[in-house]
Amino acid sequence: MARALIDDVLLFLLPFAVFAGWLVVSRRNPLLWSHWSAQATRLAIAGAAFVILSFVVVALTAERHRDGFVPTHIENGRVVPGQFR
């Protein structure tokens, strides 16, 4: 769960990092709010779009199981772990 959350946070921050890199390359100070204020909303929307796009990609490419999940149960006095069949 933590890995998925970290991945999503990094995807959200990607547009901000690219913009900060562009500010450095264009010889502007990336620490001044005046350079960020006009772009903050666009960067947040782009970050949210990356996160949503990653959800869609994972949903479309995730491994599918044709059969259902059989939960943990007891057979002949022994515990049989849950599994996909």
Side-chain angles (χ1 to χ4, degrees):
M1 181 67 188
R3 179 177 168 240
L5 183 63
I6 290 170
D7 289 346
D8 292 337
V9 168
L10 290 177
L11 278 174
F12 179 78
L13 293 177
L14 181 65
F16 294 93
V18 170
F19 185 69
W22 181 78
L23 286 175
V24 169
V25 169
S26 64
R27 297 182 188 261
R28 296 182 187 172
N29 186 355
L31 300 178
L32 292 176
W33 175 246
S34 61
H35 296 169
W36 290 88
S37 62
Q39 304 299 327
T41 304
R42 291 182 186 134
L43 293 171
I45 291 171
F50 278 142
V51 172
I52 292 169
L53 183 65
S54 75
F55 289 155
V56 170
V57 168
V58 168
L60 294 176
T61 61
E63 180 182 352
R64 303 283 188 231
H65 297 281
R66 302 194 117 195
D67 298 329
F69 179 75
V70 178
T72 302
H73 59 281
I74 297 177
E75 286 184 8
N76 299 328
R78 300 184 81 188
V79 175
V80 179
Q83 60 186 347
F84 286 98
R85 291 191 180 187

